[in-house]
């Protein structure tokens, strides 16, 4: 229940901010970047909908979804957002609940 509540809280806020950023890019006629953001947003939302928080997925898969999320945020925050991951190769196969890390990254 807590995972579902976190997911429900995250998506509207993230979606609203992302759509505003895309709208600004369109108004600025930066259609290439706007198109990339729409594609990443679509992929991230598909991932969110397709993965049950009660099912466990490999950490590598979760990190791919986080990369989509962070690529979108990078457009919004530009140079104020940087990320460095140091993950051992064997850790990528560890099973975790989907979107477990996303609330930590968002906050």
């Amino acid at each position: 229940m807590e995972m579902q509540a976190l997911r429900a809280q995250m998506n509207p806020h993230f979606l609203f901010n992302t759509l505003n950023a895309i709208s600004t890019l369109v108004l600025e006629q930066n259609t290439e970047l706007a198109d990339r953001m729409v594609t990443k947003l679509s992929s991230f939302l598909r991932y969110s909908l397709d993965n049950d928080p009660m099912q466990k997925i490999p950490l590598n898969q979760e990190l791919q979804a986080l990369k989509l999320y962070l690529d979108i945020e990078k457009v919004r925050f530009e140079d104020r957002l940087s990320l460095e991951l140091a993950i051992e190769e064997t850790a990528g196969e560890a099973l975790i609940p989907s979107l477990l890390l996303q609330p930590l990254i968002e906050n």
Side-chain angles (χ1 to χ4, degrees), residues 23-62:
S23 176
T24 299
L25 291 170
V26 170
L27 290 173
E28 294 173 349
Q29 298 182 352
N30 191 343
T31 55
E32 184 179 322
L33 186 54
D35 181 60
R36 283 197 318 254
M37 282 188 73
V38 168
T39 301
K40 288 177 189 275
L41 176 62
S42 174
S43 295
F44 180 77
L45 291 176
R46 172 62 51 203
Y47 174 85
S48 297
L49 293 172
D50 286 348
N51 288 289
D52 180 355
M54 296 297 117
Q55 296 289 324
K56 294 188 177 180
I57 61 167
L59 177 61
N60 282 336
Q61 187 177 338
E62 177 78 352

Side-chain angles (χ1 to χ4, degrees), residues 6-98:
L6 282 173
R7 184 176 289 187
Q9 180 183 15
M10 174 272 302
N11 284 332
H13 183 256
F14 171 68
L15 184 58
F16 177 77
N17 288 336
T18 302
L19 291 174
N20 278 335
I22 292 169
S23 176
T24 299
L25 291 170
V26 170
L27 290 173
E28 294 173 349
Q29 298 182 352
N30 191 343
T31 55
E32 184 179 322
L33 186 54
D35 181 60
R36 283 197 318 254
M37 282 188 73
V38 168
T39 301
K40 288 177 189 275
L41 176 62
S42 174
S43 295
F44 180 77
L45 291 176
R46 172 62 51 203
Y47 174 85
S48 297
L49 293 172
D50 286 348
N51 288 289
D52 180 355
M54 296 297 117
Q55 296 289 324
K56 294 188 177 180
I57 61 167
L59 177 61
N60 282 336
Q61 187 177 338
E62 177 78 352
L63 292 174
Q64 288 174 353
L66 287 177
K67 184 173 180 345
L68 291 169
Y69 176 86
L70 290 168
D71 285 349
I72 292 167
E73 293 294 78
K74 180 77 172 154
V75 173
R76 290 185 52 229
F77 293 106
E78 298 173 343
D79 293 333
R80 297 174 298 177
L81 177 64
S82 64
L83 177 70
E84 184 177 324
L85 297 176
I87 301 170
E88 290 187 29
E89 191 173 319
T90 57
E93 298 305 314
L95 297 178
I96 64 170
S98 69

